[in-house]
Amino acid sequence: MTQAPTARALSDEALSALLAKQRFGTLATAKRSGHPHLTTMVYQWDPESRTARFSTTADRVKVQHLRRDPRVALHVAGDDVWSFAVAEGEAEISEITTVPGDAVGRELLAMIPESDRPEDEQAFLEQQVAERRVVIRLKARRLYGTAVEFDG
C-alpha cells in the first residue's frame, strides 16, 4: 500500500537556500481593492540581509502599489511542483537612477550575476537611466514553505 505524500516545513536555512538558488519568482503586491497583484520577476536574494532585490521601472503599477502599501511577498517554486518558499515583508523603493554610475545604477549592476554582466557597463548604466529604473528591496521578516515527500 502506498502512503499519502507528506508535507514537510522547510527550515529557515533551506528556505534561504531555495531563494538563493532560483532567479525567477512571483511578486505579490496589494491593489487598492485589496486583491493581490502578481508579477513574475527576476530577483537577487541576499541571505545575510534576508533581502530580495528586483529591478523595475518607476512607472510600473507594482511600484504604485508599494508606495501606497509596502507589504509584499515573493513566491518561489522549488525543483518540483510540490516545494516552494515564500519571503514576506515590507518593500523599500530606491530613488530613480538619474546619473550613469550613481548608487542605484551600481546596485542594479551588482544584481546581475558576474557571468551575465554586460560587456559595456557604461552603456548598461545609461540604459538604466533612460528607462527610469529603480530597485525594489524586499526586507523579509518571515520565510515559510514546504517540500512534499512521497514514500512509495
Side-chain angles (χ1 to χ4, degrees):
M1 177 189 243
T2 305
Q3 280 190 327
T6 56
R8 172 178 52 86
L10 297 172
S11 68
D12 260 17
E13 294 78 23
L15 292 164
S16 187
L18 177 54
L19 288 160
K21 178 181 177 183
Q22 302 294 24
R23 296 282 299 146
F24 290 91
T26 302
L27 185 68
T29 60
K31 296 179 185 179
R32 190 174 304 280
S33 68
H35 291 92
H37 176 264
L38 305 173
T39 308
T40 301
M41 299 282 294
V42 174
Y43 71 94
Q44 182 237 4
W45 176 251
D46 178 357
E48 289 182 27
S49 67
R50 291 173 54 114
T51 302
R53 287 181 172 78
F54 309 84
S55 169
T56 192
T57 57
D59 61 340
R60 297 289 184 177
V61 71
K62 66 184 135 292
V63 173
Q64 295 169 20
H65 293 164
L66 292 170
R67 290 194 194 287
R68 188 186 71 259
D69 182 350
R71 293 175 299 169
V72 65
L74 170 65
H75 174 274
V76 175
D79 290 334
D80 57 62
V81 299
W82 304 108
S83 61
F84 68 94
V86 175
E88 282 184 344
E90 293 196 358
E92 300 172 354
I93 302 168
S94 73
E95 297 296 319
I96 299 168
T97 182
T98 57
V99 177
D102 62 12
V104 175
R106 289 191 310 275
E107 185 176 3
L108 289 161
L109 183 60
M111 290 167 52
I112 301 171
E114 195 69 39
S115 60
D116 295 334
R117 292 267 168 93
E119 287 185 30
D120 187 346
E121 290 184 2
Q122 185 63 28
F124 170 84
L125 294 168
E126 290 170 3
Q127 180 180 358
Q128 303 311 289
V129 169
E131 293 175 358
R132 298 177 31 100
R133 290 267 163 190
V134 297
V135 176
I136 297 172
R137 301 177 197 102
L138 185 171
K139 303 284 189 176
R141 292 199 174 145
R142 178 176 178 230
L143 302 179
Y144 65 90
T146 61
V148 174
E149 297 172 347
F150 293 89
D151 292 327

